[in-house]
Amino acid sequence: MATAIWRNASRLRSFNRCLYARSLSQFRSSIPSSTTTPHSLCAPSLPSFPPVIPVGAEFKSLGIYGRFLSNSTATPTENQEKPSSSSKTNSEETQNTGGSQQSSGSEGKPVRGGPVSWLSFLLLLATGIGIIFYYDNLKKRHIEGTLLCFATAEISNASKSVKEGPSAGKAAIGGPFNLVNHDGKRVTEKDFKGKWALVYFGFTHCPDICPDELLKLAAAIDKIKEKAGIDIVPVFISVDPERDTVEQVRKYVKEFHPKLVGLTGTPDEIKKVARAYRVYYMKTAEEDSDYLVDHSIVMYLMDPNMEFVKFFGKNNDVNSLTDGVIKEISQRKK
């Protein structure tokens, strides 16, 4: 600001000097040229000329100077304000242009909130999970296919070995025994050779299962005789030697079938025959002399050599037991 004032003052001084010099030159040119006149004669006869600068011109020049000063002083400010206003205008135009471009761009393109949005993250996560499940299922199918091929090869090799090789043998069920029948006579497995037999293990104090199974056995041997003409010897072996005496066994077997043979023996003899036929038995809760015996519920079909052929479980009824026995005997006779 001080620099601008100093410059304006310098300009004013220069302007005054120029104005004074011009006024002086005009004054000199207005005096008529004359012969040399004594200085004494000229002095009193000098005409009065109006001043070149009229009265009030100084004030007018001062007013002009003031206006010049004010204009020159305001000019930098205006110049400073004009760039700011121009910059504001440019910025507004830029904002308007950018806004128009952004609005036009927003109409053509979706506004992106950032480099990774929630939607893209969820899509990426879903894609990753899908790839994991796909490769997991592919791996499982590959493993299952490999196992299936391996099992098929094993079955094929086993079938070839069965066809080409010898017989696989028989189950290790059955064997020698030495027991007492319901008539008090000692009998062994040899006494039953020559006929087909169905052997069942139980005890005479059984409340429900043993009676049901013995009734089914008695009905089946009658139907087998009737349908196929085959005589089957039904055999009942007690697993409760402490209570199943010869007399108790005789009374018990006569309640089911006249051909039913009852066998009993000492605890060691019963243990030996049960082990030979793979039969499980065990006493349960004991209260005085009243207890139950948990045991296997199985009927064993034995051929005329007292060798094991097939077993029949509790799920077989009279008809299925009858048909199963006839089928096995028919196959063995061929």
Side-chain angles (χ1 to χ4, degrees), residues 110-117:
V111 179
R112 297 179 61 185
V116 179
S117 63

Side-chain angles (χ1 to χ4, degrees), residues 196 224 227-232 301-304 309-310 312 321-334:
W196 291 86
I224 293 170
K227 291 178 67 173
I230 302 172
D231 290 326
I232 303 294
L301 177 63
M302 312 298 289
D303 67 7
V309 176
K310 189 176 180 179
F312 298 91
L321 178 60
T322 300
D323 295 338
V325 171
I326 293 174
K327 180 181 178 180
E328 292 296 329
I329 293 174
S330 301
Q331 289 179 353
R332 294 297 180 114
K333 287 184 177 180
K334 291 181 181 180

Side-chain angles (χ1 to χ4, degrees), residues 254-270:
K254 296 302 180 183
E255 295 178 358
F256 298 99
H257 199 278
K259 293 184 178 180
L260 180 59
V261 178
L263 301 177
T264 186
T266 63
D268 291 337
E269 293 171 346
I270 298 299

Side-chain angles (χ1 to χ4, degrees), residues 187-250:
V187 294
T188 64
E189 76 282 353
K190 297 178 182 179
D191 295 324
F192 296 92
K193 288 184 176 181
K195 293 184 179 180
W196 291 86
L198 274 174
V199 181
Y200 176 78
F201 288 79
F203 63 108
T204 60
H205 291 77
C206 181
D208 49 6
I209 296 178
C210 291
D212 293 341
E213 292 298 302
L214 290 176
L215 287 174
K216 181 170 65 178
L217 174 60
I221 61 172
D222 290 339
K223 292 190 72 172
I224 293 170
K225 175 66 174 178
E226 183 180 327
K227 291 178 67 173
I230 302 172
D231 290 326
I232 303 294
V233 178
V235 180
F236 169 79
I237 299 177
S238 174
V239 292
D240 185 16
E242 297 173 354
R243 292 183 299 182
D244 289 344
T245 61
V246 174
E247 183 66 25
Q248 179 67 25
V249 171
R250 182 171 62 249

Side-chain angles (χ1 to χ4, degrees), residues 13 33 81 94 121 179 210 221 225 256 264 274 285 296 320 328:
R13 285 195 295 271
S33 63
E81 289 177 358
T94 305
F121 176 74
L179 299 173
C210 291
I221 61 172
K225 175 66 174 178
F256 298 99
T264 186
S296 303
S320 61
E328 292 296 329

